[in-house]
Amino acid sequence: MLSLSSFRMLAMIRENPSLICLSEKTGLSVQTVRRTLEAVDKEYDCQLFSSFSSESAELSDAGDVYAAAAQKIIRILSDADARAEKIIRERRNAVVVGSVSKSLDKRLRNLDGFRLRNVFFDITDTNAGDSMRNLGKSLDMVIGFYDDALLKRYKLEALTFSDKAMAVAASSSSSVSRKKHLDIEDIYEHRLYVPRKGFSRRIDNFVNDIKDFHPRIEIMNAESYSPELMRKIREDDDFLLASQDMDLSGYSLKCIPVDWNYKISYGLLYSAKCEKAVQVVDSLLSDD
């Protein structure tokens, strides 16, 4: 397997066959440059060089094909390096917030002194655990449902945005979206998507009660509150268990409270070890 430095040499020798010039550009001795190119030549069945002297290396026709490919590889890698550096720089300078909303939460939007960036993150996803255990790396904080068991499981703190009656999200174009509150009967004969079993004890208890006392509601366990699921709910005129404070307008869904005695905590989850997150939370609390 050729090293990146070997690819670079092969690309540069196509531009200038001089070993002395290549030595100056790489900071290596002419002997080292020559040995490296000879090693590259041995990697291929064909002959890469038509002539090899103490001062220059002329590419063969086959060698020119490989050198041209090496130039393309170097350009691709250089572009990738630039993009990666931009991502690293943005990550370093921004507080990254994960939520299912397509926009930054309204409480964070006008927070002075911080550069906040919203990225899609579903706290109910079966694969969300690693990210929540490692807040402060790819994500600084996340927004979503929670209960005490979830906080304890991932060793997180919470800034509660609401602890109200559970809501449901419905298509913004549906007839129920015009109501300020729904009766539980409004959900009859519909599918209600809820987070997977085991995500929250409070939600699991709610699901058990719905199945026992309201069998006309078809409960559907969702492995993830994905954009695909929200599109399906909108198109099929179904419902999604939600918080009244969730902003799903980007998916053409509206969250509507339901007149039932089931509450859910919803808010900002963070690790006390993440300095940037703690600063944001302190600023939010001071604004209150």
Side-chain angles (χ1 to χ4, degrees), residues 34-104:
R34 182 183 176 87
R35 284 197 299 269
T36 302
L37 291 176
E38 287 174 340
V40 170
D41 194 22
K42 291 178 182 178
E43 288 279 342
Y44 294 88
D45 293 334
C46 64
Q47 188 175 355
L48 295 184
F49 302 97
S50 58
S51 66
F52 225 136
S53 70
S54 60
E55 296 183 352
S56 67
E58 296 285 347
L59 289 165
S60 66
D61 290 343
D64 189 67
V65 171
Y66 283 110
Q71 286 180 322
K72 289 181 180 179
I73 291 170
I74 297 305
R75 284 197 295 270
I76 291 169
L77 289 174
S78 296
D79 183 56
D81 287 342
R83 283 184 289 170
E85 175 59 32
K86 181 181 178 183
I87 291 171
I88 292 169
R89 188 169 58 252
E90 289 179 349
R91 177 69 188 92
R92 190 184 302 122
N93 297 332
V95 181
V96 183
V97 184
S99 74
V100 297
S101 173
K102 286 189 175 182
S103 61
L104 195 64

Side-chain angles (χ1 to χ4, degrees), residues 184-192 209-219 239:
I184 194 169
E185 289 82 3
D186 290 319
I187 310 174
Y188 282 5
E189 320 307 337
H190 288 274
R191 287 185 290 262
L192 173 62
D209 283 353
I210 293 297
K211 287 181 177 179
D212 288 341
F213 301 112
H214 301 278
R216 292 172 64 184
I217 299 174
E218 184 179 0
I219 295 292
F239 293 96

Side-chain angles (χ1 to χ4, degrees), residues 53-252:
S53 70
S54 60
E55 296 183 352
S56 67
E58 296 285 347
L59 289 165
S60 66
D61 290 343
D64 189 67
V65 171
Y66 283 110
Q71 286 180 322
K72 289 181 180 179
I73 291 170
I74 297 305
R75 284 197 295 270
I76 291 169
L77 289 174
S78 296
D79 183 56
D81 287 342
R83 283 184 289 170
E85 175 59 32
K86 181 181 178 183
I87 291 171
I88 292 169
R89 188 169 58 252
E90 289 179 349
R91 177 69 188 92
R92 190 184 302 122
N93 297 332
V95 181
V96 183
V97 184
S99 74
V100 297
S101 173
K102 286 189 175 182
S103 61
L104 195 64
D105 185 272
K106 60 185 178 182
R107 298 162 189 80
L108 303 174
R109 211 170 293 151
N110 299 317
L111 199 58
D112 293 330
F114 298 96
R115 183 182 175 191
L116 294 127
R117 185 162 64 93
N118 187 76
V119 300
F120 180 85
F121 180 78
D122 172 25
I123 200 172
T124 73
D125 193 291
T126 51
N127 299 315
D130 285 343
S131 295
M132 287 195 286
R133 288 188 189 92
N134 295 289
L135 287 182
K137 293 186 177 179
S138 60
L139 295 171
D140 293 307
M141 53 186 71
V142 298
I143 296 175
F145 296 134
Y146 70 89
D147 58 16
D148 290 340
L150 184 142
L151 297 179
K152 185 176 181 181
R153 186 185 314 145
Y154 299 116
K155 299 179 181 178
L156 299 177
E157 306 288 334
L159 177 60
T160 304
F161 288 162
S162 65
D163 192 19
K164 305 173 184 175
M166 294 178 186
V168 294
S171 171
S172 300
S173 61
S174 68
S175 58
V176 298
S177 68
R178 294 189 286 272
K179 296 186 176 183
K180 292 184 177 180
H181 288 82
L182 298 183
D183 294 322
I184 194 169
E185 289 82 3
D186 290 319
I187 310 174
Y188 282 5
E189 320 307 337
H190 288 274
R191 287 185 290 262
L192 173 62
Y193 287 84
V194 302
R196 58 188 167 79
K197 186 176 182 180
F199 166 72
S200 164
R201 293 175 186 171
R202 197 185 296 188
I203 292 177
D204 286 347
N205 291 335
F206 159 79
V207 168
N208 291 334
D209 283 353
I210 293 297
K211 287 181 177 179
D212 288 341
F213 301 112
H214 301 278
R216 292 172 64 184
I217 299 174
E218 184 179 0
I219 295 292
M220 305 292 291
N221 286 100
E223 292 299 309
S224 170
Y225 274 30
S226 65
E228 292 75 20
L229 174 62
M230 293 189 224
R231 183 174 63 250
K232 178 177 174 57
I233 287 167
R234 183 182 70 246
E235 292 174 351
D236 295 348
D237 205 21
D238 290 327
F239 293 96
L240 178 74
L241 191 68
S243 162
Q244 296 179 38
D245 280 15
M246 289 173 72
D247 178 10
L248 300 179
S249 58
Y251 306 99
S252 298

